Amino acid sequence: NKMPAKGSEFDFYAPLRAQGAVILESEDPETKSQEYLLRVYKSYNGGDFSVYYGDVYSDSPALAFYSYNGATKTMTLKPTYEKITSVGVSGNQVWGSWLLRLEAAKKTGVPQMRSDNATQLQTNIASITTPSDYIYSAETGLVESYSKKDLLQFALGLEYSGITDLSISLEGAVD
């Protein structure tokens, strides 16, 4: 995905930059290993059923801690794309004018940004020997800016199309 330009009205890193954070250029996930998707699909009278597996990079980057400059109190973050594994099922079933849709998936390795970076910084900086240049690298373990989570996702949809030129849909999703 193409990221919005720095300083543009769509720059979603603007609030972090306003607080003094430095955001490095994003890495390109296409330079990493391959992505894989597999789907087994079965269609039958009145519906279909699918089972799928995916090993792909996240669509949006997570901001990884890159360094902290103790002299200028500036944190540098680097956008990174993490690998996410998905396993799931989906299906559709028709009964007259009604359509029922169901999807379920388990995703592993989904990056979730942490909100306690300042607390981590204050807690951990006291236990690490100050570098001579006052720049703490990512190897120091000073801040863990995001963590990886496993998600279970479910979606259910119901659609009625028994009236000419009209369909009524109801959908819901749960993470």
Side-chain angles (χ1 to χ4, degrees), residues 95-101 158-164 166-170:
W95 291 286
S97 299
W98 293 91
L99 170 66
L100 176 66
R101 292 189 304 263
L158 186 62
E159 185 173 311
Y160 178 74
S161 57
I163 302 171
T164 305
L166 177 69
S167 64
I168 301 169
S169 298
L170 176 65

Side-chain angles (χ1 to χ4, degrees), residues 74-85:
T74 304
M75 186 179 296
T76 303
L77 301 166
K78 182 177 182 178
T80 184
Y81 292 85
E82 291 293 338
K83 204 76 177 262
I84 297 174
T85 302

Side-chain angles (χ1 to χ4, degrees), residues 109-129:
V110 179
Q112 301 283 312
M113 295 304 298
R114 293 179 56 157
S115 60
D116 63 345
N117 291 341
T119 304
Q120 288 183 71
L121 187 62
Q122 289 175 338
T123 303
N124 296 340
I125 204 161
S127 63
I128 298 173
T129 304

